[in-house]
Structure formats: structure tokens, C-alpha cells
Amino acid sequence: MKHRLIFTGKKLIRMALLLLGVSLAAFLLMSASPLDPLQTNVGQAALGTMSQEQVAKLEEYWGVNDPPVQRYLGWLGDFVRGDMGTSLLYRQPVSQVIGQRLQNSLWLMAFAWVLSGVLGLILGVIAGANRGSLGDKVIRGYCLLISSTPTFWLALVLLIIFAVWLGVLPIGLSVPIGVDAASVTLTDRLYHAILPALTLSITGVANIALHTREKMIDILESDYVLFARARGESKASIVLRHGLRNVALPAITLQFASISEIFGGSVLVEQVFSYPGLGQAAVTAGLGSDLPLLLGITVVSAAIVFGGNLIADLLYGVVDPKIRRGAAKA
């Protein structure tokens, strides 16, 4: 138990340093952006009709004249105290905006993460266990095709087919148009999340399936599997008893590592489907020079991704007792 606490403590320290680096990188990119916050959000024509006092107030609101170091250190000090600041565009606390948008995005990311992991593992095991067969060629061809397909293009294709041509699914948004928020049901939210979640699931299957296939092939060509065949074990028994147990660790690694891919894909998918999630909020904050909101989303996203990798590392000892005993000896 002690070694796990030490391991977790080291990981959390790395996480803090990672979040610091990610926030600094996002701040530097925003500072180097050629976008002028005043012209982007107010407009050149409106600025021309304002007095110098009004323009000065806007510059103070957007922090245009503040030194970059002062702006970053001010934000970092507030963040350490638990204050993410106030969104310049939404005029609400950043934590409140992120909470609302993250709640919508979790519907998509959780469904896509689970479905892509399960399908990727199943397809990878089937392809690896039947190497060279027609099923293996079909699965490999599908994975290679999907892995080279842009996420936004796939989202547009699914949108055209199921929403425009067939009309069986909604075009976009997370709730029905014109319905009061109190009247929105869980079924409505799930119904509107089908197409975006399906898009993320399809794109996330390829990587897990291909890696699982290669690992399964290596396992089936190993000496202990050859010995199992010599003892008369059936192919199904070998795959279930030896194959699945040994592909579990790389599958867990890929599954939790795919959280970052889900986040990246959700940005494009939410834009296509006009889904009010965290990805769309990040795009709006970047284009609108909303620095507090963008930094808050960046840090929260990085923390979720890092947390997923930490959970994967801790699950290694649960899945494989050898790793748990080796860590205890160390």
C-alpha cells in the first residue's frame, strides 16, 4: 500500500508541473495571436463611434495594455486560490461555464470512450486470432480507412445521411429547439447526442483495434501458446485464457490514452453539430480572446487526461499481479 501512495504522490507532482506548463503554453499562444480582442468582439465600426474614455474602459476590461507577465501571474495566483476568474465573453465565473459545458460534453465523451474501447478490443482480438482471413482483412481495411479520415468530414457525412437524407436524427444542438430547459428529458439529451457520440466512437476504434490485433498475433506465436496447443487446447480456449489476459494491459493503456483523442475530436465534432460542449466553448474562447475561459478549459482538460493515465497506471497492478509484486519489492 505504501508504494502505491508514493507512486501516486510522484504522479500528482508531475501533474502539477504539467498543468503549469500547459497553462503557460496556452497563455503564450494567446499572447502571440494576431487577433485584436476589441475588433473581434466589438467591431471596427463600433470602435470608431466610441469616445476615448469608452475605448480605454474596453482596453482595461480586456487587459490589452497589461504586461503579459503580470496577466499570467495574476491569473496563476487566483487559480492557486481556487478562483479561475470570470469569462470575458459570458460574464460568468469560468468554473460555472466549464461546469455547464463539461456536463454536456460528458454525454458524448463517456459514450464514445466506452463504445470505442469495447469495439476496438473485440475487433482487434477477432482480427489477431484469425490472421490472414477475410474477417482480418475487412477489419484492417476498415481501421486504416477510418484512421485516415478527418473527424469533421466523417461528422458531415453522418449528418447528411442520418439527419438530412433519412431525417431520423436531429441536425444538431443538445436539446430540442424551442423547448424549455425544465421540460428537457434524459431521452431528449441522449437522442441529440447519438450522432456526435457515434462520430467520436467510429474514429476511436481504429487505433485500439490495430494495436490489439498486433499484440494478439504476438501472443499466439509465443512458446507458451505453442505448448498449450500441444496439450490439445482449442483455439477459443487459447484466445480466452491466454490471449485476452495478455492483451488487457496494452488495451488499458490505449483506452485511457485515447481520452486525449476524444477531447481533440470533440472540438471538431461539436462545431459540426453545434453541440454546446466544452470543445465549442474552447473554440469560442480562442476566437474571442477570452483568456480566463481558455486557460480554465485547457487546465481542466489536461487534468482529466492526466487523471485517466494515472488510473491506467494504478489498474496495472489490479490486472497483472506480477506488476503489483514487482512494485512492492521495489
Side-chain angles (χ1 to χ4, degrees):
M1 185 65 181
K2 182 179 179 180
H3 73 275
R4 289 191 180 183
L5 294 176
I6 296 175
F7 174 79
T8 305
K10 292 181 179 179
K11 286 287 187 178
L12 292 177
I13 294 175
R14 293 181 182 178
M15 177 180 178
L17 296 176
L18 172 68
L19 297 182
L20 179 63
V22 168
S23 64
L24 180 58
F27 176 81
L28 293 176
L29 290 175
M30 282 290 291
S31 300
S33 173
L35 294 176
D36 184 0
L38 271 65
Q39 294 186 8
T40 302
N41 297 282
V42 181
Q44 184 64 38
L47 286 175
T49 61
M50 292 182 180
S51 63
Q52 292 295 332
E53 291 77 9
Q54 291 175 323
V55 174
K57 289 182 179 179
L58 287 175
E59 290 178 347
E60 181 182 0
Y61 178 77
W62 291 97
V64 175
N65 298 324
D66 295 337
V69 177
Q70 178 182 343
R71 296 174 64 190
Y72 179 73
L73 292 179
W75 173 86
L76 183 61
D78 293 337
F79 182 81
V80 172
R81 291 190 294 269
D83 183 13
M84 294 186 182
T86 303
S87 172
L88 301 177
L89 293 175
Y90 296 95
R91 298 181 182 272
Q92 297 177 356
V94 171
S95 57
Q96 182 178 346
V97 177
I98 292 179
Q100 295 173 350
R101 296 305 182 99
L102 183 60
Q103 183 179 5
N104 291 333
S105 293
L106 284 178
W107 292 102
L108 304 182
M109 293 185 289
F111 178 82
W113 185 71
V114 173
L115 185 60
S116 62
V118 173
L119 290 180
L121 179 63
I122 294 175
L123 293 178
V125 170
I126 294 175
N130 300 277
R131 181 183 183 184
S133 64
L134 177 61
D136 178 32
K137 294 178 180 179
V138 171
I139 292 175
R140 276 191 302 159
Y142 163 77
C143 292
L144 293 176
L145 177 63
I146 291 299
S147 61
S148 59
T149 301
T151 305
F152 70 91
W153 184 85
L154 180 61
L156 290 173
V157 171
L158 294 179
L159 180 65
I160 293 174
I161 294 176
F162 293 100
V164 179
W165 291 352
L166 299 179
V168 295
L169 293 173
I171 294 179
L173 303 178
S174 61
V175 295
I177 299 176
V179 177
D180 185 73
S183 303
V184 177
T185 63
L186 177 61
T187 304
D188 294 331
R189 295 186 180 276
L190 293 177
Y191 182 61
H192 280 74
I194 290 177
L195 274 182
L198 184 61
T199 304
L200 292 176
S201 303
I202 292 176
T203 56
V205 167
N207 188 32
I208 299 176
L210 290 176
H211 282 80
T212 303
R213 174 186 179 275
E214 295 300 322
K215 183 63 178 178
M216 179 61 69
I217 292 175
D218 293 339
I219 293 171
L220 295 180
E221 293 178 349
S222 61
D223 294 335
Y224 62 86
V225 170
L226 180 62
F227 178 71
R229 289 174 177 170
R231 291 188 305 173
E233 288 193 35
S234 63
K235 183 177 181 179
S237 176
I238 292 174
V239 171
L240 294 176
R241 294 184 57 187
H242 303 284
L244 285 178
R245 179 179 300 178
N246 287 278
V247 300
L249 285 181
I252 289 176
T253 303
L254 292 172
Q255 178 67 358
F256 281 92
S258 65
I259 295 178
S260 59
E261 298 179 4
I262 296 294
F263 261 108
S266 66
V267 175
L268 300 175
V269 171
E270 289 176 5
Q271 285 296 109
V272 173
F273 292 101
S274 299
Y275 197 87
L278 199 62
Q280 191 181 57
V283 174
T284 303
L287 296 178
S289 300
D290 192 344
L291 184 61
L293 179 58
L294 183 62
L295 290 179
I297 293 175
T298 302
V299 171
V300 170
S301 302
I304 294 176
V305 173
F306 191 91
N309 294 332
L310 176 60
I311 294 175
D313 293 337
L314 295 176
L315 286 177
Y316 286 166
V318 178
V319 176
D320 193 345
K322 294 180 181 179
I323 295 179
R324 183 169 62 249
R325 288 194 294 267
K329 292 180 180 179

